[in-house]
Amino acid sequence: MSFDINNIVRTNIAKLKAYSSARDEFEEATAQMVFLDANENPFQNGVNRYPDPKQKGVKELLADLKGLPTNQILLGNGSDEVLDLIFRAFCEPKEDNVILLPPTYGMYGVLSELNNVQTKEVLLSENFDIRVKETLEVIDERSKIIFLCSPNNPSGNAFSEEKIKEIVENFSGLVVIDEAYIDFSSQESWLEKLDNYPNLIVTQTLSKAFGMAGIRLGVCYASCEVVEVLNRIKPPYNVNELTQQRAKERLSSFSEVEKEIGLILEERKKLEEKLQGISFISNLYPSDANFILVKVDDANKRYDQLLEKGIVIRNRTTQPLCENTLRFTVGTLSENTKLIAALNDIE
Ligand SMILES: *Cc1c(COP(=O)(O)O)cnc(C)c1O
């Protein structure tokens, strides 16, 4: 299918010129320069200056880590902002639609409503796989984006390369693959294939494997054409100075991140084994993420019982295809031990 960004970017956005901030106009900052351009307080405290609107340092580290040029990277205040920018750039309110595959991450639906964009929903299969034929069938001429969450939240599975390929190759709008949990997955990231697919957007985040949910840093990788549009509409200072500093520190010590991922994966395996032994758990869904979805006899009852013991999990029973399911995040050894003890107690 042929993809042309000019066919899908909103007309008002295509015409829009980016706001030029004071810091945009002077990129070649050197320590000797006197900055009297942005009405900042001149007394140094580490954050008295506006942050770099292009987040050059963070992007260079990510570019190194992922093997992509910096002009294929857009950063946001969490993935949530990145996803919102994608809606605002490409979906005409009240006219366009996006395709969601529930049960999946709730933010796609929330952002779609917020932007007054229609959603078409195609349920995943019973084992939470993409139903390719049914998904392609709902596409119409106003379909702009298909959201694929892989590994999927809340089911935990990653979709196969073949299934995703069929979607990406047979849709002339954008396919967003949300890879928030990719570092826990045995499947490969789609980043390496970005150059083959101009309609592909991959989002990742520092909130999960990188252990930085508190700094709010989401990442979007796409063609430089798509990234150029998103950069043009993003708020100039959307990633604050403290976030940029902490992200750079963390990205510079990726081996620590890898060590933690390894520990979480070990714990996930142990937890899966222990959960098999709980009598009221009737199904344990295979996980490619840092959480495990299980089916129980009575999700509301088990949720309350665990809460009484001070253990907070996620009850997913109201989600489509998720009746009587609970989602456990993989914690530390001691947290997981407490979870298992509590589950044994309430049997
Ligand atoms: C947790 C999560 C995110 C992360 O969102 P941030 O705004 O970056 O914290 C994104 N997508 C999915 C599917 C998630 O579960």
Side-chain angles (χ1 to χ4, degrees):
M1 287 244 153
S2 72
F3 171 82
D4 181 351
I5 187 167
N6 299 307
N7 292 341
I8 69 153
V9 68
R10 290 169 63 200
T11 43
N12 62 320
I13 301 292
K15 283 188 258 171
L16 189 88
K17 223 179 140 288
Y19 166 76
S20 179
S21 65
R23 239 355 69 82
D24 274 324
E25 290 171 15
F26 271 98
E27 285 193 65
E28 309 307 317
T30 63
Q32 298 81 11
M33 278 179 153
V34 177
F35 282 103
L36 305 175
D37 57 345
N39 304 340
E40 296 149 339
N41 176 325
F43 300 105
Q44 300 296 329
N45 62 19
V47 289
N48 60 309
R49 298 291 177 188
Y50 279 102
D52 173 9
K54 299 202 168 83
Q55 306 110 11
K56 197 157 164 274
V58 181
K59 282 185 191 167
E60 280 170 356
L61 288 166
L62 281 170
D64 253 12
L65 205 58
K66 306 287 178 175
L68 281 166
T70 52
N71 66 358
Q72 288 191 260
I73 306 176
L74 168 106
L75 302 181
N77 185 1
S79 312
D80 296 345
E81 184 188 38
V82 166
L83 295 168
D84 187 50
L85 289 171
I86 297 171
F87 268 96
R88 294 208 272 165
F90 300 107
C91 297
E92 197 59 44
K94 294 201 229 170
E95 292 178 16
D96 290 335
N97 65 71
V98 299
I99 298 170
L100 311 182
L101 313 185
T104 192
Y105 187 45
M107 259 336 259
Y108 315 138
V110 170
L111 290 171
S112 175
E113 278 187 32
L114 189 63
N115 286 287
N116 209 357
V117 170
Q118 196 206 328
T119 56
K120 289 173 177 259
E121 301 196 322
V122 182
L123 280 186
L124 294 172
S125 67
E126 281 296 321
N127 57 349
F128 303 117
D129 206 353
I130 306 178
R131 295 190 299 152
V132 176
K133 183 168 146 285
E134 289 82 351
T135 304
L136 295 176
E137 269 168 11
V138 303
I139 295 170
D140 65 29
E141 67 283 359
R142 305 285 347 191
S143 302
K144 289 296 185 74
I145 310 174
I146 300 178
F147 287 92
L148 305 177
C149 186
S150 185
N152 187 44
N153 181 5
S155 54
N157 59 307
F159 302 128
S160 70
E161 184 179 336
E162 298 77 60
K163 292 246 159 101
I164 294 182
K165 209 173 192 165
E166 278 189 81
I167 301 283
V168 178
E169 290 183 351
N170 290 292
F171 182 46
S172 55
L174 289 162
V175 176
V176 174
I177 307 182
D178 184 340
E179 292 191 337
Y181 299 99
I182 194 66
D183 297 295
F184 303 109
S185 178
S186 51
Q187 293 276 342
E188 282 193 13
S189 166
W190 277 74
L191 278 187
E192 281 150 54
K193 303 187 196 73
L194 264 188
D195 289 342
N196 309 342
Y197 299 108
N199 63 332
L200 183 62
I201 295 181
V202 174
T203 62
Q204 295 185 357
T205 177
L206 266 65
S207 296
K208 306 289 158 62
F210 282 80
M212 308 201 94
I215 70 168
R216 312 304 303 128
L217 189 67
V219 192
C220 161
Y221 303 94
S223 72
C224 41
E225 288 80 13
V226 167
V227 166
E228 188 277 329
V229 172
L230 298 174
N231 265 322
R232 203 143 39 78
I233 67 169
K234 80 171 183 65
Y237 303 119
N238 63 330
V239 180
N240 73 67
E241 180 63 28
L242 298 174
T243 295
Q244 294 192 40
Q245 284 175 11
R246 292 294 296 267
K248 282 188 279 192
E249 284 168 26
R250 189 70 166 157
L251 291 168
S252 308
S253 48
F254 184 59
S255 59
E256 273 171 41
V257 178
E258 282 180 308
K259 216 186 298 166
E260 291 176 10
I261 294 169
L263 292 172
I264 292 168
L265 290 179
E266 268 176 45
E267 282 302 310
R268 182 180 81 193
K269 189 157 172 275
K270 282 195 267 174
L271 197 55
E272 279 170 337
E273 284 162 10
K274 300 251 170 64
L275 291 171
Q276 310 266 14
I278 305 294
S279 66
F280 59 83
I281 293 180
S282 58
N283 202 352
L284 204 128
Y285 298 93
S287 173
D288 255 13
N290 66 335
F291 57 84
I292 301 170
L293 188 76
V294 301
K295 198 181 260 309
V296 297
D297 53 351
D298 182 343
N300 294 334
K301 174 176 135 191
R302 301 307 181 182
Y303 178 85
D304 289 341
Q305 287 176 319
L306 286 173
L307 198 55
E308 234 164 77
K309 294 187 170 292
I311 295 179
V312 188
I313 57 160
R314 203 84 205 272
N315 184 352
R316 297 284 74 192
T317 192
T318 58
Q319 298 296 298
L321 305 172
C322 292
E323 197 184 3
N324 281 322
T325 59
L326 299 174
R327 193 189 71 194
F328 305 114
T329 305
V330 179
T332 60
L333 168 63
S334 102
E335 290 170 331
N336 301 332
T337 306
K338 283 182 194 153
L339 170 66
I340 294 298
L343 288 168
N344 278 312
D345 263 5
I346 62 179
E347 263 195 296

